[in-house]
Amino acid sequence: MPDLPLDQWVKPEVLAQSAYRVRTVDHRIKLNQNESPWDWSEALKQEVLSRLAEADWNRYPDLVPTQLKQKLARAHGVSPNQVVVGKGSNEILQSLAHITLRPGDTLCTVTPTFAIYRLLGEQSSARVDESVLSTAFQVNATDLLSKSEAARLTMLCSPNSPTGNLVDGDLIARVLTGAGGVVVVDEAYADFSQVTSLPLLKQHPNLVITRTFSKAFALAGFRLGYGMMHPDLAREVQKGLLPFNIDLPSAMAADVLLDHVDWVEEHARTIIKERDSLIDRLNELPGVKAWPSRSNFFLLSTPLGASETFAGLARGGILVRDVSAYQRCAELVRVTVGRPEENEALFKAVKQLI
Ligand code: PMP
């Protein structure tokens, strides 16, 4: 086939990007994408399916999922007009980049962090200004404050991925006060840290908090997330999403399952306990370091280095994430906390490897 003149058709910023990839191998234990290791019960799945069977499939879903928005608003003590629902929190982040950034504007974030922020900034032809975390993955407050002052959009992740630590709450408040535009606090993993910037919404109309159904809520297969923000900003973020973005099955599943948040909270508590004991045990192995985490994953280094650790665990059927391409993460892998028996298998595999 002939080479296409892609440089005439596609933005240079997109041509320069590598496609988002998740490296996978055959495995029996999946600890690479920070999902819930527990699925919803057969009974609850049947309840969703029977409601879905009664619905009209030939009709468009609600323009926005009103009932779901109301339930989410009630759960977080905000008003429904402060909630915007997306196909994953990724879609909320995409809308924010789309509606705020003009070519040449600045998107501020830190590095290492969730790779999608940079990708979205670049696709909006923005300048991406990253504040580099310390070797202990701490934010340089002065640097972040000065970078966010000049930015139309700032994206922070707390707990951060792939590092697992929180961004200090006082620093978030200072960033919100000084920032040159909207500040996103991505709380995809807040169920595991039990720390949130929600109380800051009242004083800071430039704050957007994003949450996802893909992690503690055990619904990654349905693609749902949401943002909470000032109602006027919510109206604009909604404009950045295409109409009818939320399909009927996703809205219905979330609506049914939101009546079972006890299940979510109980499993999050189990993950927190498992995480802390797994990290402690790994740190007792010679030459192994497991970083402290407030999330459902943690960074791990072994004397073998990232690529051999990934490969060695993969040979034993355990899939983790090689994050060595991230700044400050050379020789690190990221491990999702799984079910107790999976964590035991991971521990034994690391012990055997070294
Ligand atoms: N933010 C962070 C920090 C994430 O790790 C992820 C998932 N990898 C997302 C946002 C996106 O989640 P989703 O689109 O599934 O809601």
Side-chain angles (χ1 to χ4, degrees):
M1 280 201 276
D3 281 347
L4 298 179
L6 286 176
D7 54 339
Q8 291 170 36
W9 297 353
V10 180
K11 291 194 236 179
E13 295 88 342
V14 175
L15 288 176
Q17 287 180 331
S18 339
Y20 191 84
R21 269 184 354 120
V22 179
R23 187 168 161 211
T24 190
V25 292
D26 279 345
H27 58 270
R28 63 194 164 84
I29 298 179
K30 186 173 189 305
L31 304 178
N32 68 331
Q33 280 185 289
N34 306 340
E35 299 139 318
S36 165
W38 294 281
D39 197 358
W40 288 97
S41 71
E42 204 49 46
L44 277 171
K45 286 184 175 182
Q46 283 306 331
E47 191 179 328
V48 174
L49 290 175
S50 65
R51 272 182 57 176
L52 190 57
E54 286 161 16
D56 294 330
W57 292 17
N58 58 325
R59 302 293 179 198
Y60 277 102
D62 288 346
L63 188 56
V64 295
T66 310
Q67 198 169 315
L68 178 57
K69 269 174 62 162
Q70 281 166 351
K71 256 191 194 174
L72 289 170
R74 217 174 308 131
H76 292 295
V78 296
S79 99
N81 62 0
Q82 292 184 271
V83 179
V84 183
V85 183
K87 291 193 75 63
S89 48
N90 275 345
E91 200 186 28
I92 303 295
L93 300 175
Q94 184 179 39
S95 171
L96 279 158
H98 186 54
I99 67 160
T100 60
L101 298 171
R102 302 161 303 186
D105 281 336
T106 299
L107 168 84
C108 166
T109 186
V110 302
T111 185
T113 192
F114 186 41
I116 294 294
Y117 311 148
R118 167 173 269 286
L119 182 143
L120 291 172
E122 288 173 353
Q123 294 194 356
S124 292
S125 308
R127 200 171 72 83
V128 180
D129 204 5
E130 297 170 326
S131 183
V132 184
L133 301 183
S134 72
T135 47
F137 303 123
Q138 298 303 308
V139 179
N140 176 333
T142 317
D143 186 55
L144 178 66
L145 285 165
S146 91
K147 286 184 159 76
S148 60
E149 257 175 44
R152 226 171 137 85
L153 182 60
T154 297
M155 288 187 170
L156 301 174
C157 185
S158 186
N160 189 31
S161 176
T163 61
N165 59 342
L166 290 167
V167 181
D168 177 68
D170 289 337
L171 177 58
I172 291 176
R174 285 164 71 201
V175 170
L176 283 161
T177 303
V182 173
V183 178
V184 180
V185 179
D186 180 344
E187 293 189 350
Y189 301 101
D191 296 285
F192 306 106
S193 66
Q194 297 170 332
V195 173
T196 176
S197 291
L198 259 178
L200 294 174
L201 264 183
K202 280 207 171 68
Q203 306 101 281
H204 297 282
N206 57 340
L207 171 62
V208 176
I209 292 177
T210 55
R211 294 282 182 97
T212 178
F213 284 91
S214 306
K215 311 297 176 184
F217 205 84
L219 209 60
F222 275 77
R223 311 302 302 122
L224 270 179
Y226 53 102
M228 292 174 283
M229 65 208 86
H230 189 283
D232 293 351
L233 182 57
R235 195 180 51 239
E236 303 309 315
V237 173
Q238 185 67 54
K239 287 185 199 168
L241 302 169
L242 291 171
F244 312 106
N245 63 327
I246 303 302
D247 56 90
L248 196 67
S250 296
M252 232 171 221
D255 190 46
V256 170
L257 301 176
L258 270 170
D259 292 336
H260 301 273
V261 284
D262 291 358
W263 183 91
V264 175
E265 287 164 4
E266 188 191 319
H267 285 86
R269 280 195 295 273
T270 305
I271 290 289
I272 293 168
K273 261 195 246 145
E274 282 289 312
R275 171 194 74 202
D276 292 344
S277 90
L278 180 58
I279 289 175
D280 285 350
R281 290 175 71 204
L282 286 165
N283 277 326
E284 282 165 16
L285 298 175
V288 171
K289 177 163 169 135
W291 264 256
S293 168
R294 297 296 302 270
S295 198
N296 67 336
F297 57 83
F298 57 90
L299 290 172
L300 175 74
S301 73
T302 81
L304 302 174
S307 123
E308 260 314 296
T309 304
F310 177 92
L313 292 173
R315 280 195 295 279
I318 302 177
L319 180 59
V320 297
R321 184 79 165 253
D322 180 345
V323 291
S324 57
Y326 286 69
Q327 209 161 336
R328 298 263 193 245
C329 294
E331 305 313 338
L332 298 182
V333 297
R334 192 191 69 191
V335 180
T336 305
V337 180
R339 294 194 296 266
E341 65 277 16
E342 296 175 322
N343 302 329
E344 188 58 34
L346 182 272
F347 176 77
K348 284 196 177 129
V350 173
K351 195 170 168 191
Q352 215 165 36
L353 256 187
I354 60 160

